[in-house]
Amino acid sequence: MSLRDRLIRLLADGQFHSGNDMARALGVSRSAIWKQIHQLNTLGLAIETASRRGYRLSSSLDLLDASTITNALDPQAREASDGVEVLFVTSSTNTMLASRAAPAAGRWRAVFAEYQTDGRGRRGRRWISPFGTGLCFSLSWLFSRAPRDLPALSLAAGLAVIRPLEATGAQELALKWPNDILIAGDKLGGVLVDVDGDARGPLRVVIGIGINLSAPQALVRTVTAEGGLSPGALDGAPGKAPLERSRLAAEMIGSLYRALERFQRDGFAPLADDWRRRDYLFGKPVVVRSGTDEKCGIGCGIAPDGALLIERPEGIAAVFNGEVTVRVRE
């Protein structure tokens, strides 16, 4: 573990620690501590300094723990696991898993990161999450052959992720086609699916998940300035029970594992009704843009294969890809 990571672990309690005490505990000079402290803001960590008291994080951190996540998995998901890894900092969990060998069919492997330097969202956008403020992870899975309704896999994954979030008691959660998870109309999280292989099989998928457990104002300003949906957060949501990040992580992994098994066997159709009950776009005026093409209409649900349905003057149109925004009524 690097000096930076050991320092973060020491500061995670949110208490003041003097430079001398940290230097002794970590076996380095005060100068080395000072240099590391002043680099932590690049990870989105806010440091407070007080004379004669030292340094502390502006809020404590509930750090993820791989063994806690593994032990909290339901027995079936744990039995199918090829391992859970937790990293403090990496470029992208999707990129990391995509560079590794795929697990055997029916098994999974997951990587979590407290911070991603190059987190990716859909259509080349950045996924930004300050250190330790969300759940950012990827799960690798191998289909022996391409499942039917493969384009709807991101919908199935979104449904799998929202269920544990609903179980916390949080209200006003919804799914926005094709890959957004919303809370009170703000973006709580998203799904990114990378596919590698052949339709005849085998076909490896890496499913990336990003969830905001908190949304600092600096994050809100950055994302909205880049034209993204305003970030929402689970912390402070009405009705939500207190969270243990590692336990919530295990529940999400278990839910994804069950969804992948069912999707592999039955496709998306058996999941469609559950998705429709959480459909944010239903009944709303929408614009769908794909390249230079633009379609306007009223969201009227999804097809059994996961296509977005919009009502237009000439009839119902099925949309299989594109960027969807809700039009403001004039």
Side-chain angles (χ1 to χ4, degrees):
M1 184 178 290
S2 69
L3 174 58
R4 178 202 60 204
D5 294 356
R6 290 187 291 140
L7 179 61
I8 292 172
R9 195 173 291 280
L10 185 63
L11 291 168
D13 61 7
Q15 303 300 309
F16 277 108
H17 297 266
S18 74
N20 283 333
D21 288 345
M22 289 189 289
R24 281 194 297 268
L26 299 178
V28 296
S29 67
R30 283 197 61 184
S31 174
I33 294 293
W34 184 87
K35 289 177 181 177
Q36 289 295 326
I37 286 286
H38 285 79
Q39 291 177 10
L40 294 184
N41 65 343
T42 63
L43 306 180
L45 289 169
I47 302 292
E48 297 179 6
T49 305
S51 178
R52 298 184 181 180
R53 302 185 71 186
Y55 308 95
R56 73 174 180 183
L57 294 176
S58 59
S59 58
S60 61
L61 295 173
D62 175 18
L63 296 172
L64 293 170
D65 179 74
S67 61
T68 302
I69 295 170
T70 301
N71 292 334
L73 290 167
D74 63 74
Q76 292 79 15
R78 191 185 312 124
E79 180 64 25
S81 171
D82 272 0
V84 174
E85 186 175 358
V86 174
L87 305 173
F88 269 31
V89 180
T90 192
S91 59
S92 159
T93 55
N94 260 42
T95 300
M96 170 171 283
L97 273 182
S99 69
R100 297 180 177 179
R107 300 187 64 79
W108 60 268
R109 180 180 298 119
V111 172
F112 290 78
E114 296 287 12
Y115 183 82
Q116 297 180 101
T117 60
D118 192 25
R120 293 187 292 122
R122 190 166 174 265
R123 295 184 174 268
R125 290 196 178 94
R126 293 195 299 161
W127 178 261
I128 306 169
S129 182
F131 189 103
T133 61
L135 285 179
C136 299
F137 69 97
S138 297
L139 182 144
S140 182
W141 176 271
L142 187 73
F143 292 110
S144 55
R145 65 181 185 279
R148 63 177 183 270
D149 308 331
L150 181 62
L153 181 57
S154 66
L155 278 71
L159 184 59
V161 168
I162 203 173
R163 285 171 171 157
L165 298 176
E166 291 171 336
T168 69
Q171 300 170 17
E172 297 187 71
L173 291 166
L175 294 165
K176 176 178 174 287
W177 188 94
N179 70 329
D180 289 338
I181 301 159
L182 306 185
I183 185 165
D186 292 332
K187 184 165 179 174
L188 177 64
V191 177
L192 176 68
V193 177
D194 289 329
V195 179
D196 180 37
D198 191 279
R200 293 167 294 182
L203 188 79
R204 194 262 294 276
V205 296
V206 176
I207 301 173
I209 306 295
I211 300 292
N212 299 320
L213 300 185
S214 63
Q217 282 303 306
L219 172 66
V220 175
R221 288 193 297 269
T222 299
V223 172
T224 53
E226 294 185 1
L229 280 175
S230 179
L234 203 61
D235 285 354
K240 182 192 68 63
L243 289 175
E244 294 179 35
R245 290 176 74 223
S246 292
R247 183 166 296 277
L248 180 60
E251 290 170 358
M252 286 191 179
I253 288 289
S255 186
L256 274 168
Y257 167 69
R258 291 187 293 274
L260 283 163
E261 277 205 316
R262 188 174 187 186
F263 189 87
Q264 178 175 255
R265 183 180 64 248
D266 303 323
F268 181 70
L271 304 171
D273 282 343
D274 280 351
W275 205 98
R276 291 183 186 110
R277 284 192 286 272
R278 300 164 173 87
D279 185 357
Y280 176 75
L281 297 176
F282 186 82
K284 292 183 171 66
V286 300
V287 180
V288 183
R289 295 181 178 88
S290 180
T292 59
D293 184 50
E294 180 176 294
K295 291 184 175 71
C296 299
I298 303 295
C300 57
I302 57 170
D305 62 0
L308 174 67
L309 302 177
I310 59 172
E311 183 179 358
R312 292 164 55 79
E314 60 270 27
I316 303 296
V319 176
F320 295 93
N321 60 73
E323 189 73 14
V324 184
T325 55
V326 176
R327 285 187 294 136
V328 177
R329 295 182 186 270
E330 297 179 356

